[in-house]
């Protein structure tokens, strides 16, 4: 095999198609962002080969793998060619297409696909150490010192709206809720895509962090440790808890308007289910008001019914926090003018 096996930093620097040849279940658990999953073996085949490897040894497992490979060769090539053609990127080296391939450990799966593509005159590179090397890099990223600036505020103060505005004007931001596909509350999954695995959530965070200049501030929204089923990496969360914090203040009317805009568009039954998940905490009276108000589309009453509960949760979460700067944005529009107020408190 003539494919080059290269270190992660150099592998990441290439701009060609990125192909993950692991099984679909491995890919779902976690993968390099923007990679294409073209598995050499499906989940069942991988399980069969793994069992044979443990019971009968490597040689027999390889023979079984070749049998699977032979049956699907044409389909595999069709998938490879189709995806390579749709991701044509010319490298600086002799104007050849550079195709990046990785598997779990940088072993036979990635090397076999690289060898196959080289027979068709494609320029290929494989990742030394495979995805396991990438994951070590991900986890090491979280141990670095990052210059976080936390955006805090009660429910409905428009923290995510502010974060989006900062992103638009090229500030360094991390949208944890966007990465987690969840807003962090009982209503958090409404209108969102399926949440990623926790491992993939971590991959997205680390990739974003490593795109930043470490010396510059990184704006990040205050969150609890868990956002839906996704857990903020421990080292990142530990730094968030001790980082400087801007506390956004908005009037109750502003907050109600924000919540109504966000949640009134959703299906009534889904909203009711969300309310019922916290009925023990809301209490019977507030739960009853919220459910009836959803049916009558009295969105102001719905939001008022849950606002007090979330305010109490937020005050509890804020206990012990230091280095907090208050920023009153009552009745302010979230446009470029508000950035002047942000910059004044930095």
């Amino acid at each position: 095999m003539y494919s080059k096996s290269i270190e992660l930093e150099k592998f990441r620097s290439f701009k060609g198609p990125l192909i993950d040849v692991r099984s679909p279940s491995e890919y779902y658990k976690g993968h390099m962002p923007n990679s294409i999953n073209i598995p050499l073996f499906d989940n069942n085949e991988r399980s069969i080969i793994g069992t044979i490897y443990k019971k009968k040894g490597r040689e027999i497992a390889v023979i079984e793998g070749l049998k699977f490979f032979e049956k699907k060769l044409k389909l595999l090539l069709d998938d490879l060619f189709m995806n390579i053609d749709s991701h044509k990127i010319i490298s600086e080296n002799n104007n050849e297409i550079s195709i990046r391939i990785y598997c779990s450990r940088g072993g036979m799966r990635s090397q076999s696909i690289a060898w196959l593509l080289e027979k068709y005159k494609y320029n290929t590179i494989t990742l030394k150490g495979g995805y396991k090397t990438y994951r070590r890099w991900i986890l090491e990223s979280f141990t670095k010192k990052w210059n976080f600036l936390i955006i805090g505020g009660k429910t409905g103060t428009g923290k995510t709206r502010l974060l989006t505005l900062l992103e638009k004007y090229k500030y360094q931001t991390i949208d944890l809720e966007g990465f987690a596909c969840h807003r962090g509350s009982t209503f958090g999954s409404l209108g969102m895509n399926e949440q990623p695995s926790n491992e993939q959530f971590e991959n997205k965070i680390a990739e974003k962090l490593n795109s930043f200049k470490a010396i510059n501030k990184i704006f990040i929204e205050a969150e609890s440790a868990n956002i839906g089923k996704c857990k903020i990496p421990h080292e990142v969360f530990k730094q968030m808890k001790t980082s400087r914090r801007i506390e956004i203040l908005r009037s109750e009317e502003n907050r109600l308007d924000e919540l109504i805009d966000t949640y009134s568009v959703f299906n009534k039954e889904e909203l009711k289910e969300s309310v019922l998940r916290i009925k023990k905490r809301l209490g019977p009276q507030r739960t009853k008001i919220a459910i009836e108000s959803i049916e009558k589309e009295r969105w102001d009453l719905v939001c008022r019914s849950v606002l007090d509960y979330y305010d109490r949760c937020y005050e509890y979460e804020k206990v012990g926090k230091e280095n907090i700067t208050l920023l009153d944005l009552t009745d302010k529009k979230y446009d470029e003018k508000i950035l002047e107020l942000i910059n004044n408190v930095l």
Side-chain angles (χ1 to χ4, degrees):
M1 297 182 187
Y2 300 101
S3 170
K4 297 177 183 176
S5 180
I6 61 178
E7 302 290 342
L8 179 63
E9 184 177 356
K10 188 174 181 181
F11 185 85
R12 284 169 52 81
S13 71
F14 282 79
K15 302 301 180 184
L18 177 60
I19 299 175
D20 183 325
V21 298
R22 298 173 304 150
S23 67
S25 61
E26 291 173 287
Y27 183 82
Y28 172 78
K29 183 180 178 184
H31 54 269
M32 296 180 72
N34 301 316
S35 61
I36 310 157
N37 187 214
I38 304 179
L40 183 57
F41 304 118
D42 63 27
N43 297 333
N44 186 53
E45 291 166 345
R46 176 174 174 260
S47 176
I48 291 170
I49 293 169
T51 300
I52 292 173
Y53 183 89
K54 289 177 183 178
K55 292 182 176 180
K56 299 182 179 180
R58 183 177 183 275
E59 184 176 341
I60 296 177
V62 169
I63 292 171
E64 188 65 28
L66 288 172
K67 291 177 183 177
F68 287 134
F69 181 74
E70 182 182 11
K71 291 177 183 178
K72 62 172 66 179
L73 180 58
K74 185 180 184 306
L75 286 175
L76 186 64
L77 283 170
D78 286 346
D79 269 354
L80 287 165
F81 294 155
M82 180 179 68
N83 282 283
I84 290 168
D85 288 344
S86 65
H87 289 80
K88 279 185 176 178
I89 298 177
I90 306 302
S91 73
E92 296 177 1
N93 301 319
N94 301 321
N95 291 328
E96 290 183 282
I97 298 173
S98 178
I99 302 164
R100 297 173 294 166
I101 306 166
Y102 71 92
C103 61
S104 180
R105 296 179 178 84
M108 287 191 67
R109 284 186 288 180
S110 58
Q111 291 172 24
S112 297
I113 295 297
W115 172 84
L116 182 62
L117 288 174
E118 284 165 2
K119 299 306 173 187
Y120 290 87
K121 308 302 180 183
Y122 283 106
N123 182 42
T124 64
I125 53 174
T126 60
L127 174 59
K128 188 174 182 179
Y131 180 73
K132 288 189 177 295
T133 293
Y134 175 73
R135 277 296 293 173
R136 283 196 296 272
W137 175 78
I138 292 292
L139 297 176
E140 287 169 3
S141 298
F142 300 141
T143 64
K144 297 177 183 177
K145 177 63 179 174
W146 299 101
N147 189 12
F148 292 136
L149 198 154
I150 309 302
I151 299 177
K154 294 179 178 179
T155 299
T157 50
K159 300 183 292 293
T160 301
R161 193 188 296 268
L162 180 57
L163 202 66
T164 301
L165 182 67
L166 289 164
E167 173 84 16
K168 177 182 176 182
Y169 285 90
K170 309 304 180 185
Y171 288 79
Q172 295 187 157
T173 68
I174 293 184
D175 182 2
L176 291 173
E177 293 182 359
F179 287 159
C181 296
H182 201 283
R183 298 185 192 87
S185 71
T186 186
F187 300 92
S189 63
L190 294 175
M192 304 291 274
N193 294 327
E194 180 185 358
Q195 286 200 266
S197 69
N198 198 71
E199 187 170 299
Q200 190 60 19
F201 177 60
E202 291 177 346
N203 290 350
K204 290 180 178 182
I205 295 171
E207 287 281 356
K208 189 72 170 177
L209 284 172
N210 283 282
S211 72
F212 292 151
K213 294 180 180 177
I215 194 172
N216 293 344
K217 291 181 177 61
I218 300 169
F219 291 84
I220 190 167
E221 186 174 338
E223 302 284 355
S224 58
N226 296 300
I227 308 176
K229 71 177 184 181
C230 292
K231 184 177 179 63
I232 298 173
H234 174 72
E235 294 296 332
V236 171
F237 190 66
K238 188 164 71 172
Q239 290 191 49
M240 288 173 63
K241 289 195 293 185
T242 58
S243 296
R244 187 183 169 198
R245 181 173 178 136
I246 296 177
E247 186 78 8
I248 305 301
L249 303 177
R250 301 274 279 178
S251 68
E252 184 175 286
E253 183 180 352
N254 291 159
R255 295 169 61 207
L256 286 170
D257 288 343
E258 183 80 19
L259 293 174
I260 291 169
D261 285 346
T262 302
Y263 294 107
S264 63
V265 298
F266 295 118
N267 178 277
K268 290 181 182 179
E269 294 306 314
E270 291 178 334
L271 287 168
K272 289 177 186 177
E273 288 173 10
S274 297
V275 169
L276 291 173
R277 281 198 290 270
I278 54 171
K279 65 179 180 179
K280 289 184 179 179
R281 299 170 188 173
L282 285 179
Q285 186 63 27
R286 277 199 298 246
T287 300
K288 182 174 181 291
I289 292 171
I291 295 295
E292 290 177 351
S293 299
I294 289 171
E295 193 58 46
K296 296 175 182 177
E297 299 187 5
R298 290 294 310 276
W299 305 118
D300 57 330
L301 295 180
V302 176
C303 294
R304 285 182 193 279
S305 298
V306 299
L307 207 56
D308 180 58
Y309 160 69
Y310 280 116
D311 283 356
R312 283 186 282 112
C313 290
Y314 185 75
E315 289 301 330
Y316 177 79
E317 183 272 335
K318 203 174 66 171
V319 170
K321 294 288 189 300
E322 299 178 355
N323 199 14
I324 297 177
T325 301
L326 301 181
L327 182 60
D328 192 343
L329 299 181
T330 298
D331 296 330
K332 296 286 194 302
K333 291 183 178 179
Y334 277 22
D335 56 23
E336 67 277 3
K337 293 180 182 177
I338 213 170
L339 299 180
E340 294 179 19
L341 298 175
I342 298 290
N343 288 324
N344 286 339
V345 300
L346 295 182

